[in-house]
Amino acid sequence: MEKKLFYGSEIVIKALLYEKVEYIFGYPGGAIMPIYNSLHDYLNSISHILMRHEQGLIHAAQGYARTTGKIGVCFTTSGPGATNLITGLADALIDSTPIVCITGQVSSHLLGTDAFQETNIIDISIPVTKWNIQVLKAKNICKSIQKGFFIAKQGRPGPVLIDITKDAQLQKTVFHYTRCKYIKNFHPYPCIENKKIMEAAKLINSAKKPLVLVGQGVILAEAENEFKKFVEKTGIPVASTLLGLGVLNSNHHLYVGMLGMHGNYAPNILTNQCDILIAVGMRFDDRVTGDIKKYAKQAKVIHLEIDSSEINKNILCHVPILGDCKLSLKKLIFYVNESIHTKWKDKFFQLKRKEKTIVIQRDLYPKKKGITMGEVVKWINQYKKKNAVLVTDVGQHQMIASRYFNFTCKKSQITSGGLGTMGFALPASIGAQLGAKNRQILCIVGDGGFQMTIQEMGSILEYKIPIKIVLLNNNFLGMVRQWQQLFFDKRYSCTELVNPNFIKLAQAYNIKAKKVNKREELENSVKKALNHKKAFLLEVIIEKEDNVFPMIPSGASVDEIRLT
């Protein structure tokens, strides 16, 4: 019996269905038109979300991946469509987000001829992808998609790009698809050495002043429960990286705050006093360590990590534990002793009181006339749903929201951490809402980053995405302005913004909107915005020179953190 032949373009869609893809975030164009033509016949089985820019669609795929733990998928055409993905690919790579991008390409006989909308996206994207491939024949499409989905999700997740020439999309071949379970010489899960587990347990059991640093690796491994059991048994204080927020409930008695340049005072100061430093699923980013020559020199470092390239990359590790931290933590729990560390924990609370007096009271209960970013987040905490997901852009608002938002659920924080991509939040919120339909998505943005992807309000309009946008507007590129104030003699070079009427813009997209510039209106406005059933834009005019503290100056040690 003769086997049925399918166009390569249809094979792409059938393969995605086999991988149980729910949404495709895309933007059509000439070189990917055959795939879109085939997609038309499957729109009852798979949903396509038409974004308004390629950067927006890849951030939406990231938001979907971060709320679901699944792989985000996106389509673009060749040339500028493909190159517009590069920022999102870089963002996904450094923040370990699993996405598969399928790009159309000019026909194979035109490769290298500078044909219309041709770019060598393979060479361009090598530094910002976990894996990429160009497909020249229809018969290789299934194999490439199988491999791409496996690589994107296994081990440390990351972005994959599959570039398919137009003639490969139009060729016919048989369809045979099985999910990839193994790739030769690709070992995403290192074997955990029991010897290292025992060494780590011995150090932990002898520690007088231990500190745990938790990162996003725990979330990616879905190891939140194991992590909680580990810290509750050992009684060790826990500090979080920016992307690790939400692993432990913000109100947990062992949680002592966020690490890093704009993190909390106590965990930064006491990093340089602890005797054992246990890093779980984090990579010792420079924003966490400050000056590495002065970082935790007194401590023995235990590092639980899935990616061997992160071991000893920035900070010397005394006991590396390579492997999936879900399994590593299970093993450690068995060998560690129950403890409390009361005196050591008291030091954190003493320093927290100092930060509360000097910084937190000022941020949340200001005496100044203008509204502060902190008090906006305070009211958001009061009226948000328990299952709320915080999505932030990049800048001052990101740091303030991350510091004060009350994280109570798993996978409840989405932001651009390692790359710091302005324009991330709005499209990421769209993907997050589609991935977590029953959760409240709160998008907090600044006036600078909001305008970088503001066109994605068109997708909110078209698909009726009920996200709540809180725009903190100070008519400045606030984080840059803060640095100019503190380190460049208040020379505000090119950071003040002349902004449009955001309310009218939102209304043009059929998004209900309200502007607040008086403190007495703030609480009720936040309540109204968060209780609205559809999309809502709340613009809050905040203090122009409302700075974010604490702060570790660039090049300083973590214990040189400033409160003012």
Side-chain angles (χ1 to χ4, degrees):
M1 184 176 176
E2 189 175 344
K3 290 184 178 180
K4 186 176 180 181
L5 301 180
F6 296 91
Y7 286 108
S9 57
E10 187 174 2
I11 286 172
V12 171
I13 308 303
K14 289 174 73 68
L16 295 182
L17 287 170
Y18 204 96
E19 291 287 350
K20 299 181 180 179
V21 172
E22 185 182 16
Y23 289 102
I24 298 165
F25 301 91
Y27 205 97
I32 200 170
M33 203 172 293
I35 291 176
Y36 271 89
N37 185 54
S38 293
L39 176 62
H40 188 271
D41 296 328
Y42 290 89
L43 288 175
N44 290 330
S45 303
I46 193 167
S47 297
H48 180 273
I49 306 299
L50 177 63
M51 302 297 288
R52 283 5 185 206
H53 190 280
E54 290 87 1
Q55 182 180 348
L57 66 88
I58 192 167
H59 291 331
Q62 289 176 269
Y64 174 84
R66 296 270 284 272
T67 53
T68 62
K70 301 176 183 177
I71 295 172
V73 176
C74 54
F75 283 176
T76 68
T77 193
S78 62
T83 57
N84 281 340
L85 294 179
I86 295 300
T87 296
L89 288 169
D91 196 288
L93 183 69
I94 200 165
D95 282 353
S96 305
T97 306
I99 53 175
V100 170
C101 302
I102 295 177
T103 54
Q105 183 55 276
V106 300
S107 293
S108 55
H109 72 280
L110 293 174
L111 291 172
T113 68
D114 292 331
F116 178 67
Q117 290 196 332
E118 181 204 355
T119 56
N120 184 351
I121 193 62
I122 294 299
D123 284 354
I124 291 171
S125 64
I126 283 173
V128 291
T129 51
K130 189 176 177 183
W131 181 73
N132 68 12
I133 191 170
Q134 188 170 77
V135 183
L136 307 177
K137 301 287 184 182
K139 65 180 182 181
N140 294 325
I141 288 175
C142 278
K143 187 191 304 181
S144 300
I145 293 176
Q146 290 164 357
K147 192 173 180 180
F149 270 78
F150 184 77
I151 291 173
K153 192 73 169 70
Q154 300 301 306
R156 181 178 180 176
V160 163
L161 184 139
I162 302 170
D163 191 46
I164 307 175
T165 60
K166 195 169 186 178
D167 52 330
Q169 298 172 44
L170 295 170
Q171 292 167 6
K172 282 190 169 183
T173 189
V174 296
F175 175 74
H176 177 70
Y177 198 92
T178 54
R179 297 182 97 177
C180 181
K181 295 181 179 178
Y182 169 78
I183 296 173
K184 188 178 180 180
N185 297 325
F186 177 55
H187 305 291
Y189 298 100
C191 292
I192 299 168
E193 295 183 47
N194 285 329
K195 180 183 176 183
K196 296 298 182 183
I197 294 289
M198 299 297 288
E199 287 179 24
K202 186 177 179 180
L203 282 177
I204 293 167
N205 291 338
S206 66
K208 302 298 182 187
K209 296 185 290 184
L211 176 61
V212 172
L213 313 182
V214 63
Q216 188 190 202
V218 173
I219 299 169
L220 295 173
E222 297 184 341
E224 292 94 340
N225 290 337
E226 288 78 9
F227 180 80
K228 185 181 177 185
K229 288 177 183 177
F230 169 73
V231 297
E232 287 182 343
K233 184 176 182 181
T234 57
I236 301 176
V238 177
S240 174
T241 67
L242 177 64
L243 293 184
L245 292 169
V247 171
L248 208 60
N249 190 306
S250 298
N251 297 318
H252 195 282
H253 70 280
L254 290 172
Y255 181 67
V256 295
M258 187 172 75
L259 299 159
M261 180 173 281
H262 290 291
N264 292 102
Y265 190 61
N268 278 302
I269 290 284
L270 295 177
T271 292
N272 279 6
Q273 294 183 29
C274 67
D275 57 1
I276 303 294
L277 195 64
I278 308 156
V280 187
M282 55 87 73
R283 58 187 180 84
F284 289 111
D285 175 78
D286 62 289
R287 288 295 170 108
V288 164
T289 65
D291 183 358
I292 59 172
K293 294 177 182 177
K294 301 176 183 177
Y295 183 80
K297 291 302 178 184
Q298 77 295 335
K300 298 286 186 182
V301 178
I302 300 167
H303 195 175
L304 281 67
E305 175 60 51
I306 199 165
D307 185 353
S308 61
S309 71
E310 295 295 346
I311 300 294
N312 295 324
K313 185 171 81 174
N314 296 320
I315 299 299
L316 180 65
C317 172
H318 298 85
V319 184
I321 301 178
L322 272 173
D324 185 332
C325 68
K326 190 179 183 77
L327 301 177
S328 302
L329 286 167
K330 278 183 179 179
K331 288 176 177 286
L332 264 180
I333 290 167
F334 184 77
Y335 292 106
V336 293
N337 297 335
E338 290 189 20
S339 193
I340 299 176
H341 299 293
T342 303
K343 289 184 179 180
W344 172 234
K345 281 189 293 187
D346 284 346
K347 286 194 173 185
F348 288 90
F349 297 122
Q350 289 167 16
L351 293 173
K352 184 177 181 179
R353 284 193 289 271
K354 184 176 181 180
E355 180 182 347
K356 184 176 181 179
T357 301
I358 299 173
V359 177
I360 298 174
Q361 285 292 124
R362 182 195 63 208
D363 284 348
L364 302 187
Y365 305 96
K367 295 180 180 178
K368 60 180 75 173
K369 183 179 180 181
I371 299 171
T372 65
M373 295 175 282
E375 62 182 318
V376 178
V377 181
K378 176 186 70 177
W379 291 122
I380 287 172
N381 281 330
Q382 183 74 24
Y383 294 107
K384 73 179 178 70
K385 293 182 179 178
K386 289 183 178 180
N387 68 358
V389 178
L390 172 68
V391 186
T392 54
D393 213 82
V394 172
Q396 288 181 312
H397 72 276
Q398 176 192 33
M399 295 295 100
I400 288 290
S402 300
R403 279 174 52 80
Y404 294 121
F405 190 84
N406 187 15
F407 295 98
T408 56
C409 295
K410 297 177 183 179
K411 293 184 174 67
S412 56
Q413 193 255 22
I414 299 172
T415 196
S416 172
L419 196 64
T421 304
M422 291 178 69
F424 174 86
L426 187 63
S429 296
I430 294 170
Q433 186 70 81
L434 291 168
K437 296 179 183 65
N438 297 321
R439 298 184 69 178
Q440 183 184 51
I441 305 298
L442 304 177
C443 173
I444 299 184
V445 294
D447 46 317
F450 185 48
Q451 293 180 80
M452 288 192 171
T453 50
I454 198 168
Q455 72 281 347
E456 300 307 337
M457 288 199 293
S459 298
I460 295 172
L461 167 66
E462 181 169 353
Y463 300 103
K464 299 178 174 59
I465 311 292
I467 63 173
K468 310 299 180 279
I469 306 164
V470 180
L471 169 59
L472 301 182
N473 184 0
N474 59 5
N475 291 101
F476 261 114
L477 299 175
M479 188 62 84
V480 183
R481 184 213 54 76
Q482 178 170 334
W483 279 60
Q484 289 173 334
Q485 177 186 339
L486 298 176
F487 307 116
F488 293 90
D489 301 320
K490 296 188 178 182
R491 290 164 58 87
Y492 299 142
S493 177
C494 308
T495 47
E496 190 162 8
L497 295 171
V498 177
N499 286 324
N501 187 325
F502 291 114
I503 302 303
K504 287 186 177 180
L505 271 171
Q507 291 170 345
Y509 286 101
N510 201 29
I511 297 172
K512 194 170 181 63
K514 180 176 173 55
K515 184 175 182 177
V516 177
N517 51 26
K518 295 180 181 178
R519 178 169 287 116
E520 54 267 28
E521 299 175 359
L522 180 60
E523 180 184 356
N524 283 335
S525 298
V526 170
K527 183 179 180 180
K528 180 181 179 181
L530 269 54
N531 287 331
H532 191 66
K533 291 184 178 180
K534 298 179 181 179
F536 197 106
L537 170 68
L538 178 65
E539 179 187 5
V540 183
I541 305 303
I542 58 169
E543 278 277 343
K544 273 184 176 287
E545 297 191 359
D546 183 15
N547 288 335
V548 184
F549 286 101
M551 181 181 184
I552 302 171
S554 182
S557 168
V558 288
D559 57 6
E560 295 174 309
I561 187 168
R562 293 173 50 174
L563 288 173
T564 58

